Amino acid sequence: MLRKNKRRSSVDKAGEKAALPDMTTKGKKSRPNSRQPKAVVQENSDESIFGVFLREAGVLLRQDGTSNEIAVDQVIFQKRMQQQLRKNPRYPAIVQEFIVGLESYMEDPERFQNCLLPCVPQLSDGDSSSVGSFQESLFRLLLGIEMLQALVINTLFEKLPEFMFDSAADSGLNIPRVIVNQLKWLDRVVDSKELANKLMQLVSVAPVDIQRDIISSLPEILEDSQHNDIARELNSLLQENTQLTVPILDALSSLNLSSSLLSEVRVAVMATLSAVQLEDLPVVVKFILHSISTSDTNEVVCDLRRKLELELCVLPSVLQASQSRAKNKGAAGSSIAAIPSSSHDSVALVLDGIKSAVRFQKSISEAWLKAIENVDKADDHKVIDLLVLFILHSTNANHSRRGAERLLKVKVRAGQIQEVLLQKTFRGYAQVMRGYFPSILALAQSLLRSPDSCVVPFGGHMYRHSFTAFDSYCQQEVVGSLVTHVCSGVGGEVDVALELLCGLVADRPSEMALYAVFVKGILDYMDNLSPQQIRRLFHLLSALAFGRQQQGSHIQDDMHIVIRKQLSSTVPKYKRIGIIGAIMVVGSMAARRSKVDGPQGDTLPKETLRQVTGLLDLVKSCSESSPEAAALYYDELANLILTGTLDPQVQTGIGQCVLDDFQDDFVVDLGLDLSGSFPLPACVSYNLDDDESQGGIAVNLLPVLTKDLQHKGEPWSRTEKKACKRVSTLCLSPFFRLLRLYEEQQHQGDLEEIDALLGCPLILTDMGVVEKLDSLSKAEREFLCGLLFYTINWFREVVNAFCRQKDPEMKLKVVTRLQNITYLQTLLERALAATPGYVPPLANFDGESSEAPAVSSSAPPQKKAKKDGTGKKRKAPGKNSSADSSLLEEGADPEETQPEQPEKEKEKEKEKEARQGVSLAAYRPFFRELDLEVLSVLQCGLLSRSLLDSEFHSEVRQDIQLGPAELVFLLEDMLKKLEFSLTAAPAKRAFFLKSKADKSVGFSHLQQKNPKDIAACCVQLLPTLCSHLENSHNHFQTLLSENNGVVDGPGTDVAEHQLLSTAYQLLLQVLHTTFSWSGFSQPEQRGLLKSALGVPAGRLKEGWAELSLDQLVKHSFEYLLNFRSTVPNLSTALSLSQLLTAVAERGGSTGAYREHTAVLARRFLCQEWVTATGERERGIKYNENLQTILGIYLENTDDVLKAVEEIAGQGIPELLNAAKDASSPTWPTLNRQTFLVFYKGMMGELEKAVRKIPAGRSSDSSEVQSEKLLTWNLAVRDFHIMINLVTVFDNRPVLNVCLKYGRLFLESFLKLGMPLMDFSFKKHKEDVQSLLKTFQLSTRRLHHMCGHSKIRQDTGLTNHVPALKKSLEQFIYRVKAMLTLNNCQEAFWLGNLKNRDLKGDEILSQQSQADDEEEEEEAEEEGSQLPPGKSDDEESDSEGLKKDNGHEEGDEEDEITDDSDD
């Protein structure tokens, strides 16, 4: 285009130069130019009709490359020419003679070319206004004369074939193109149809280049009347010749076509989309999107998305070269390397076309979102889907940004858009996606901040691929955004961002080194980071600064300064940070090297070794200031050795003195004199090596603890002299862990060097002192508690160390140590109960030590509060299981059992406190963490005592077995680990005031493992867990069969029953937590999920590996369902129900299992739950479990309304007729203590159910209206039953539930039910009237509750009243509007409803009387005054029947007017 204009401008300049001598000729001024006379002679010699007429009209023909001249305005020329032809005596023959003259003149190519070029104005001296600066060509001037137009067009078309196959003229003109240009933008086309035919005939024979020129010019040549016809021909031509795709679509886009024809053309274009060449694709897509009508947008966009295969657009360069067109434009050596960029340019143009379409047409953006949303399989998603989402997010046209973000999250959560597709998009279209980087970054930020853990990893993938694929600016933005995430303080967000940064440092260290300064800025925000996050941060920074290539060496000095500053701090928190940071730096500097890393091979350089040794010495000297710091130092060193990446020289240097120091500090020989001034008498305990009593060793715990307490408060320092060396028992477990891990690394897991520590005894005190706690002083009790804590933590570390040993004798000792732990924990519970306010010694040293008192002091007051709650004075309901007297029937006397019950409960409480003491759950942070590998001890098996005696007899002694107490201990620890690592906690913003309790304390080792690895470990343990589950099932099945189906049979061991019940429940909870892991929903974890489901399925059906996922879910569900008959208590039943729900959700269709879940929940609700002692289960926890199971039943049952009516209409009347302490025979879990649970659950589910009823529409058929009316009738009837129960159970909690859910039900009825009444009133008048009549009785009862709440002045109740009164008032006006709509407004009347309490008695007060008088003035009195008393309900009802549904409105209006003062 630029070249064409350039040629034309050069011709114009030549014409202007040639015009100068011509003007002098006309002025008869001679010039010494030899060429001028010759030109004049030639001009005068042309005396044909053609030449004469032109000269007389004002045009002078020139030759020799000079342009023709025009002396008059174009319009004047055309007018003169037309007059000459018309007034000539030989008209119309003169016209043909004129054309013959034109044809003869055109025989000369130079003259013909002259006639195609613009004329130049001929100006006389001093006159420049008569002719414009720009003039048309001679042919354009002649085409503007109607009588000559057809003949001139024929002449041009006859001349055009002469130049059709020639190259451009000498002057650079493309003659065919110039000829076609003569026909553009004519003021009038005499015969447009004929012109169109000739043009299309010419197209059929012309070369491709001329075809393109003609087709592109059609919209500028033809009139609108020919657009439809020419479009049909172009459509046919498009299907025959794909080379003309671009010009044809350009022409079609400019034609004025009918909608039907445009749709036809678009369908044809869409059919050829897959065959379109890449260079033409942007034009095709643009045409399709810009030719869409609103009605067919969705269909067209879906079709376009399906056929648009961008994956085929980016091919290897060789293939692209073979497919590229043979073009002569440009240099002959245009490299193949440039071709990929051209393909990217085409893709970019396609996306630009989509971008412009969605920006200006709302329907197209919505259609793209819908098209992507309708794809339900991951394999069906394509690259274009992600690119379009980025486009929609970047344009934000019609608020599409939010829709794109929402859809991406939904697709990622469902596993339909996966990381593979994202990787393919970045790999092939990075150059195109660069323009959408701000949107990609914003989407990644949103996904990473999402509380949904399923979408967070995808945001991380977007960050990683953006860093990998884009330029340095984008990399800097990615790093800056990740640093912002880390500094946000949100736990999950910080963890993912740090993990991403660590991954980028590992994969691209040289590029990340450029941005090390950005990452270093996180050091200013370490106050918001947890210890594990601080470890990752220093690992990240040390890898950058001290890595093998040391690309980030410019931050080494800053790292050293920060670490030394933290180590020298006297604040424990910052000293901890310094220790952690220094050890992580050591790990990076002293990492094991391979032979390819440098000339020194796998040996650490001497300078580096010197720096590492110096840093370790510095940390060790700084940590000697306190035992907590020293213990943390040992723990961090142990973690470093555990990684297995430490250089052997450094590892040997660390371990040189570990074994000797440990023996000197904590190990003594047996047989030594144990006399001394100890708070409690010393003795040797828990020796498992009886045969080695001579020359054996013992852990010197009690003397070290005594000596440590004697120097408590003194500055803690360690001197070089071993005799004066001070040792703290805090370092016992961390030091042993360091020793054990060092030995494992040195001897490939063999602990033979230290195996004596597994069975060696400890120097403790006689644990019989626990029975004499009352005789001990406070200091002695605290000393005993500390001794127990240290002993338990020692045994926990011993179990950690030897749990993976294969020797049977060691396995037996490990199980014995677990038995020691469980026994010592029972003693510790009793000791803690007798030592209120005791603060245990720290066991995990990477957290805040100030958190300890808050955690420890919370347990004793709980026990005290529980005692007070069962004392003489009865407190508010809900405090304990015996406080349900407020739920007794109104006629019952709750004080009959008052004198006896407290005495019994006091005795039970004292006995429980004496035996069990406080719960150790609150003291979990003060125990050493058990490693995940300890769970392998579960594979030792469980054999209950009763089975041992009856089946195995004496052979059992030779087996390694796990008792119920040890099983419960391990399962509790496993459950806590799984809940911490696999349960997806929603991301929460950090509060300004951070809470003291840190839930991550005690999980430091677990945090260093990936959730996927933890889930895989659980899957490996599933066969063992299923075996334990089956053993528990068999135990209780045997127990039931021996006792004729009764749990509390004679001779039942209550303690064993309780332990096995707890184990049963823990097993189900562990399985539930495992199968509920959100990671199973990720496609890459599908194999692990099938393996997990294959374990329970394989116990029911062999060959599970060949089954599909749905079949595995089915068989697993059936397997777990078999345990329903032996669940010992309600909490276990709830765990089983939740486990079945979690397994069902792993299948494709959860609806198939809803019926089984509902039947199971109903079975549990209809079962009487008793304890091993024969007492009925009760209490707050029991009520919570019961409410959850009731919710599961009502949520999964087919008909919620029918289920509610069954319980309310059958179970509750049975309860009312039963004795005071009895239950409903049909629903044994329903009694007066649990009535509130059932009532609240049923009201809540009833309100949820009516919200799901579709709103009434005028388009509904009569059958649909009848069905909806029937549903609302059932709902209103259930609601009426529930409301009327308040007359019997009139306590405060029931009233509170009734007021809350009554308002919600009323609001749902107004929103969804009343529109149905509007459209159904005429056809179903009786049904509507009956429904409103029933509903009116319920609203009247709600009115009475409002009055009752006001009289009682209960804030908890009156808070619901204003909103409820507002809804009641809206109901009045809504019914009136419904009657008006159906022309029955005369049936509406208003009356007075008096304030009454729950019993129906009128509320008489000065205020209410004043309210009544005021309301009587406002109300419209159309009915007779109702007499006071209970009969007013009946009279208003009968009156309403006469008035065609008028009573509902009147009575409800009474409710409003009577309480307008509220």
Side-chain angles (χ1 to χ4, degrees), residues 1243-1261:
M1243 285 292 281
E1245 291 300 326
L1246 179 62
E1247 189 270 330
K1248 286 182 185 177
V1250 296
R1251 270 190 289 160
K1252 298 177 182 178
I1253 302 175
R1257 295 182 177 86
S1258 57
S1259 58
D1260 291 343
S1261 62

PDB file of all heavy atoms in Angstrom, residues 1243-1261:
ATOM      1  N   MET A1243     -36.239 -27.742  62.432  1.00  0.00           N
ATOM      2  CA  MET A1243     -36.588 -26.388  61.982  1.00  0.00           C
ATOM      3  C   MET A1243     -35.577 -25.880  60.953  1.00  0.00           C
ATOM      4  O   MET A1243     -35.947 -25.261  59.943  1.00  0.00           O
ATOM      5  CB  MET A1243     -36.640 -25.444  63.179  1.00  0.00           C
ATOM      6  CG  MET A1243     -37.872 -25.612  64.049  1.00  0.00           C
ATOM      7  SD  MET A1243     -39.400 -25.088  63.232  1.00  0.00           S
ATOM      8  CE  MET A1243     -39.290 -23.316  63.433  1.00  0.00           C
ATOM      9  N   GLY A1244     -34.291 -26.149  61.201  1.00  0.00           N
ATOM     10  CA  GLY A1244     -33.280 -25.708  60.254  1.00  0.00           C
ATOM     11  C   GLY A1244     -33.419 -26.387  58.899  1.00  0.00           C
ATOM     12  O   GLY A1244     -33.342 -25.741  57.846  1.00  0.00           O
ATOM     13  N   GLU A1245     -33.618 -27.701  58.894  1.00  0.00           N
ATOM     14  CA  GLU A1245     -33.747 -28.418  57.617  1.00  0.00           C
ATOM     15  C   GLU A1245     -35.061 -28.090  56.925  1.00  0.00           C
ATOM     16  O   GLU A1245     -35.126 -28.064  55.691  1.00  0.00           O
ATOM     17  CB  GLU A1245     -33.650 -29.926  57.862  1.00  0.00           C
ATOM     18  CG  GLU A1245     -32.271 -30.395  58.288  1.00  0.00           C
ATOM     19  CD  GLU A1245     -31.204 -30.088  57.246  1.00  0.00           C
ATOM     20  OE1 GLU A1245     -31.523 -30.125  56.048  1.00  0.00           O
ATOM     21  OE2 GLU A1245     -30.060 -29.803  57.644  1.00  0.00           O
ATOM     22  N   LEU A1246     -36.120 -27.829  57.700  1.00  0.00           N
ATOM     23  CA  LEU A1246     -37.390 -27.418  57.094  1.00  0.00           C
ATOM     24  C   LEU A1246     -37.228 -26.088  56.367  1.00  0.00           C
ATOM     25  O   LEU A1246     -37.722 -25.904  55.238  1.00  0.00           O
ATOM     26  CB  LEU A1246     -38.465 -27.315  58.180  1.00  0.00           C
ATOM     27  CG  LEU A1246     -39.858 -26.867  57.733  1.00  0.00           C
ATOM     28  CD1 LEU A1246     -40.449 -27.854  56.742  1.00  0.00           C
ATOM     29  CD2 LEU A1246     -40.787 -26.724  58.948  1.00  0.00           C
ATOM     30  N   GLU A1247     -36.511 -25.173  56.983  1.00  0.00           N
ATOM     31  CA  GLU A1247     -36.298 -23.875  56.337  1.00  0.00           C
ATOM     32  C   GLU A1247     -35.421 -24.030  55.084  1.00  0.00           C
ATOM     33  O   GLU A1247     -35.664 -23.388  54.052  1.00  0.00           O
ATOM     34  CB  GLU A1247     -35.645 -22.927  57.351  1.00  0.00           C
ATOM     35  CG  GLU A1247     -35.559 -21.479  56.918  1.00  0.00           C
ATOM     36  CD  GLU A1247     -34.289 -21.169  56.171  1.00  0.00           C
ATOM     37  OE1 GLU A1247     -33.277 -21.824  56.462  1.00  0.00           O
ATOM     38  OE2 GLU A1247     -34.309 -20.292  55.281  1.00  0.00           O
ATOM     39  N   LYS A1248     -34.419 -24.902  55.138  1.00  0.00           N
ATOM     40  CA  LYS A1248     -33.594 -25.149  53.944  1.00  0.00           C
ATOM     41  C   LYS A1248     -34.413 -25.769  52.827  1.00  0.00           C
ATOM     42  O   LYS A1248     -34.239 -25.454  51.645  1.00  0.00           O
ATOM     43  CB  LYS A1248     -32.424 -26.089  54.302  1.00  0.00           C
ATOM     44  CG  LYS A1248     -31.325 -25.450  55.104  1.00  0.00           C
ATOM     45  CD  LYS A1248     -30.210 -26.479  55.335  1.00  0.00           C
ATOM     46  CE  LYS A1248     -29.128 -25.911  56.240  1.00  0.00           C
ATOM     47  NZ  LYS A1248     -28.072 -26.927  56.517  1.00  0.00           N
ATOM     48  N   ALA A1249     -35.317 -26.682  53.208  1.00  0.00           N
ATOM     49  CA  ALA A1249     -36.106 -27.382  52.189  1.00  0.00           C
ATOM     50  C   ALA A1249     -37.023 -26.431  51.437  1.00  0.00           C
ATOM     51  O   ALA A1249     -37.162 -26.518  50.207  1.00  0.00           O
ATOM     52  CB  ALA A1249     -36.916 -28.501  52.844  1.00  0.00           C
ATOM     53  N   VAL A1250     -37.671 -25.489  52.132  1.00  0.00           N
ATOM     54  CA  VAL A1250     -38.598 -24.591  51.440  1.00  0.00           C
ATOM     55  C   VAL A1250     -37.837 -23.600  50.566  1.00  0.00           C
ATOM     56  O   VAL A1250     -38.371 -23.097  49.569  1.00  0.00           O
ATOM     57  CB  VAL A1250     -39.507 -23.840  52.444  1.00  0.00           C
ATOM     58  CG1 VAL A1250     -40.382 -24.814  53.190  1.00  0.00           C
ATOM     59  CG2 VAL A1250     -38.690 -23.001  53.417  1.00  0.00           C
ATOM     60  N   ARG A1251     -36.578 -23.340  50.915  1.00  0.00           N
ATOM     61  CA  ARG A1251     -35.793 -22.449  50.064  1.00  0.00           C
ATOM     62  C   ARG A1251     -35.474 -23.088  48.717  1.00  0.00           C
ATOM     63  O   ARG A1251     -35.194 -22.395  47.745  1.00  0.00           O
ATOM     64  CB  ARG A1251     -34.482 -22.077  50.765  1.00  0.00           C
ATOM     65  CG  ARG A1251     -34.599 -20.816  51.613  1.00  0.00           C
ATOM     66  CD  ARG A1251     -33.243 -20.357  52.067  1.00  0.00           C
ATOM     67  NE  ARG A1251     -32.662 -21.223  53.068  1.00  0.00           N
ATOM     68  CZ  ARG A1251     -31.373 -21.285  53.358  1.00  0.00           C
ATOM     69  NH1 ARG A1251     -30.527 -20.546  52.681  1.00  0.00           N
ATOM     70  NH2 ARG A1251     -30.918 -22.082  54.292  1.00  0.00           N
ATOM     71  N   LYS A1252     -35.532 -24.408  48.663  1.00  0.00           N
ATOM     72  CA  LYS A1252     -35.239 -25.110  47.419  1.00  0.00           C
ATOM     73  C   LYS A1252     -36.473 -25.304  46.542  1.00  0.00           C
ATOM     74  O   LYS A1252     -36.350 -25.782  45.420  1.00  0.00           O
ATOM     75  CB  LYS A1252     -34.611 -26.470  47.729  1.00  0.00           C
ATOM     76  CG  LYS A1252     -33.282 -26.377  48.462  1.00  0.00           C
ATOM     77  CD  LYS A1252     -32.739 -27.750  48.805  1.00  0.00           C
ATOM     78  CE  LYS A1252     -31.437 -27.640  49.583  1.00  0.00           C
ATOM     79  NZ  LYS A1252     -30.914 -28.980  49.974  1.00  0.00           N
ATOM     80  N   ILE A1253     -37.652 -24.948  47.046  1.00  0.00           N
ATOM     81  CA  ILE A1253     -38.867 -25.071  46.228  1.00  0.00           C
ATOM     82  C   ILE A1253     -38.837 -23.968  45.170  1.00  0.00           C
ATOM     83  O   ILE A1253     -38.664 -22.796  45.501  1.00  0.00           O
ATOM     84  CB  ILE A1253     -40.132 -24.942  47.105  1.00  0.00           C
ATOM     85  CG1 ILE A1253     -40.127 -26.003  48.210  1.00  0.00           C
ATOM     86  CG2 ILE A1253     -41.384 -25.066  46.253  1.00  0.00           C
ATOM     87  CD1 ILE A1253     -41.280 -25.865  49.182  1.00  0.00           C
ATOM     88  N   PRO A1254     -39.001 -24.315  43.889  1.00  0.00           N
ATOM     89  CA  PRO A1254     -38.966 -23.273  42.847  1.00  0.00           C
ATOM     90  C   PRO A1254     -40.090 -22.259  43.031  1.00  0.00           C
ATOM     91  O   PRO A1254     -41.201 -22.610  43.448  1.00  0.00           O
ATOM     92  CB  PRO A1254     -39.127 -24.065  41.539  1.00  0.00           C
ATOM     93  CG  PRO A1254     -38.794 -25.473  41.895  1.00  0.00           C
ATOM     94  CD  PRO A1254     -39.181 -25.659  43.323  1.00  0.00           C
ATOM     95  N   ALA A1255     -39.794 -21.015  42.726  1.00  0.00           N
ATOM     96  CA  ALA A1255     -40.810 -19.961  42.818  1.00  0.00           C
ATOM     97  C   ALA A1255     -41.871 -20.170  41.746  1.00  0.00           C
ATOM     98  O   ALA A1255     -41.595 -20.696  40.655  1.00  0.00           O
ATOM     99  CB  ALA A1255     -40.160 -18.587  42.674  1.00  0.00           C
ATOM    100  N   GLY A1256     -43.083 -19.757  42.044  1.00  0.00           N
ATOM    101  CA  GLY A1256     -44.169 -19.890  41.074  1.00  0.00           C
ATOM    102  C   GLY A1256     -44.003 -18.921  39.913  1.00  0.00           C
ATOM    103  O   GLY A1256     -43.581 -17.778  40.081  1.00  0.00           O
ATOM    104  N   ARG A1257     -44.356 -19.405  38.707  1.00  0.00           N
ATOM    105  CA  ARG A1257     -44.278 -18.576  37.506  1.00  0.00           C
ATOM    106  C   ARG A1257     -45.612 -18.639  36.767  1.00  0.00           C
ATOM    107  O   ARG A1257     -46.324 -19.638  36.839  1.00  0.00           O
ATOM    108  CB  ARG A1257     -43.159 -19.056  36.588  1.00  0.00           C
ATOM    109  CG  ARG A1257     -41.767 -18.916  37.185  1.00  0.00           C
ATOM    110  CD  ARG A1257     -40.712 -19.380  36.178  1.00  0.00           C
ATOM    111  NE  ARG A1257     -39.367 -19.198  36.689  1.00  0.00           N
ATOM    112  CZ  ARG A1257     -38.729 -20.076  37.455  1.00  0.00           C
ATOM    113  NH1 ARG A1257     -39.337 -21.196  37.792  1.00  0.00           N
ATOM    114  NH2 ARG A1257     -37.493 -19.838  37.872  1.00  0.00           N
ATOM    115  N   SER A1258     -45.892 -17.569  36.061  1.00  0.00           N
ATOM    116  CA  SER A1258     -47.139 -17.524  35.311  1.00  0.00           C
ATOM    117  C   SER A1258     -47.158 -18.539  34.179  1.00  0.00           C
ATOM    118  O   SER A1258     -48.220 -18.955  33.723  1.00  0.00           O
ATOM    119  CB  SER A1258     -47.347 -16.114  34.739  1.00  0.00           C
ATOM    120  OG  SER A1258     -46.239 -15.746  33.922  1.00  0.00           O
ATOM    121  N   SER A1259     -45.963 -18.957  33.729  1.00  0.00           N
ATOM    122  CA  SER A1259     -45.893 -19.913  32.624  1.00  0.00           C
ATOM    123  C   SER A1259     -46.055 -21.355  33.070  1.00  0.00           C
ATOM    124  O   SER A1259     -46.103 -22.261  32.233  1.00  0.00           O
ATOM    125  CB  SER A1259     -44.542 -19.761  31.902  1.00  0.00           C
ATOM    126  OG  SER A1259     -43.473 -19.960  32.813  1.00  0.00           O
ATOM    127  N   ASP A1260     -46.133 -21.599  34.384  1.00  0.00           N
ATOM    128  CA  ASP A1260     -46.284 -22.965  34.874  1.00  0.00           C
ATOM    129  C   ASP A1260     -47.623 -23.551  34.453  1.00  0.00           C
ATOM    130  O   ASP A1260     -48.648 -22.859  34.447  1.00  0.00           O
ATOM    131  CB  ASP A1260     -46.173 -22.996  36.401  1.00  0.00           C
ATOM    132  CG  ASP A1260     -44.749 -22.690  36.872  1.00  0.00           C
ATOM    133  OD1 ASP A1260     -43.831 -22.787  36.042  1.00  0.00           O
ATOM    134  OD2 ASP A1260     -44.579 -22.341  38.055  1.00  0.00           O
ATOM    135  N   SER A1261     -47.584 -24.838  34.122  1.00  0.00           N
ATOM    136  CA  SER A1261     -48.826 -25.523  33.782  1.00  0.00           C
ATOM    137  C   SER A1261     -49.628 -25.805  35.035  1.00  0.00           C
ATOM    138  O   SER A1261     -49.150 -25.653  36.163  1.00  0.00           O
ATOM    139  CB  SER A1261     -48.515 -26.830  33.055  1.00  0.00           C
ATOM    140  OG  SER A1261     -47.773 -27.703  33.900  1.00  0.00           O
TER     141      SER A1261
END
